[in-house]
């Protein structure tokens, strides 16, 4: 685990507005402004950044909150972890969230996913319909957990697969203070 102090200052609403010009280069972005406003912007769907009300949202290989069963399942698992998060140390919370992100239980049947993927997804639907996808040549290669506390302290942890080998992972952690 490594720890670095970074200083990040930007107005995310302005940044996301500039991304409209580069729409085809991004699958999805989420930004905050002054710590209490969150926007979503993607290269499909709404042409402008979308203001998000407080709540739990899910993002998979489609638009924000696509009604896939695996996305709804992931949101429920996330909500359950968050309900119990006050009793966990920070590292234990990160590990619970990484465990959630590596859940391979398929959420089937899922007509919405089958319809969107058509014949391409059917041969490996039982793996694709899980939060963590493990298929030859395709699947989950990284997990990212970002924790922000009430004082603006951020812990960014990323677990990355090495050499396309599901038995080899590198975990990096960075910590910094939001500048508001």
């Amino acid at each position: 685990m490594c720890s670095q102090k970074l200083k990040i200052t930007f107005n995310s609403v302005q940044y996301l507005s500039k991304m409209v010009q580069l729409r085809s280069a991004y699958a999805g972005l989420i930004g905050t402004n002054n710590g209490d406003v969150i926007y979503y912007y993607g290269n499909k769907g709404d042409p402008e950044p979308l203001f998000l009300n407080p709540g739990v949202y899910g993002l998979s290989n489609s638009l924000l909150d696509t009604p896939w069963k695996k996305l709804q399942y992931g949101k429920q698992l996330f909500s359950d972890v968050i309900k119990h998060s006050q009793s966990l140390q920070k590292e234990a919370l990160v590990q619970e969230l990484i465990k959630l992100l590596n859940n391979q239980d398929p959420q089937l049947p899922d007509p919405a996913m089958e319809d969107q993927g058509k014949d391409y997804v059917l041969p490996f639907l039982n793996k694709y319909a899980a939060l963590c996808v493990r298929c030859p040549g395709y699947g989950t290669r990284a997990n990212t957990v970002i924790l922000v506390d009430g004082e603006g302290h951020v812990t960014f942890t990323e677990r990355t697969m090495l050499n396309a080998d599901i038995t080899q992972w590198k975990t990096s952690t960075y910590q910094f203070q939001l500048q508001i």
Side-chain angles (χ1 to χ4, degrees):
M1 177 196 306
C2 68
S3 181
Q4 292 183 351
K5 296 288 183 181
L6 303 172
K7 182 178 180 182
I8 299 175
T9 57
F10 63 89
N11 179 315
S12 61
V13 176
Q14 292 170 342
Y15 175 78
L16 288 175
S17 295
K18 289 180 183 179
M19 292 297 99
V20 171
Q21 299 167 3
L22 302 171
R23 186 176 177 95
S24 64
Y26 295 95
L29 296 170
I30 295 179
T32 65
N33 185 36
N34 296 329
D36 59 358
V37 179
I38 298 178
Y39 288 84
Y40 164 78
Y41 179 70
N43 65 348
K44 297 178 182 166
D46 240 332
E48 296 295 325
L50 176 67
F51 171 76
L52 301 179
N53 288 307
V56 175
Y57 295 87
L59 185 62
S60 189
N61 288 357
S62 191
L63 299 174
L64 186 71
D65 268 348
T66 296
W68 291 346
K69 284 187 175 183
K70 74 176 188 176
L71 190 64
Q72 301 307 314
Y73 179 63
K75 287 172 55 175
Q76 182 58 54
L77 291 176
F78 177 77
S79 295
D80 293 345
V81 169
I82 296 307
K83 284 178 191 171
H84 301 98
S85 66
Q86 296 300 319
S87 65
L88 298 173
Q89 296 290 327
K90 182 171 35 176
E91 185 57 36
L93 176 57
V94 168
Q95 291 308 309
E96 281 295 311
L97 292 168
I98 287 175
K99 179 181 170 185
L100 178 161
L101 292 169
N102 283 281
N103 184 300
Q104 295 181 53
D105 299 333
Q107 302 303 303
L108 294 171
D110 190 343
M113 184 176 284
E114 291 172 31
D115 185 53
Q116 183 170 337
K118 303 286 185 216
D119 293 334
Y120 173 75
V121 77
L122 292 178
F124 58 99
L125 184 61
N126 65 325
K127 295 188 181 297
Y128 187 70
L131 298 178
C132 178
V133 177
R134 296 272 188 253
C135 295
Y138 179 82
T140 305
R141 300 177 311 152
N143 307 126
T144 304
V145 174
I146 303 170
L147 302 178
V148 183
D149 69 17
E151 288 81 42
H153 181 261
V154 178
T155 301
F156 179 100
T157 302
E158 185 159 80
R159 183 174 175 259
T160 307
M161 184 187 302
L162 301 175
N163 304 316
D165 180 349
I166 64 169
T167 67
Q168 295 183 20
W169 296 85
K170 175 185 175 188
T171 301
S172 301
T173 299
Y174 304 91
Q175 297 183 27
F176 56 93
Q177 184 70 34
L178 292 176
Q179 302 295 314
I180 301 176

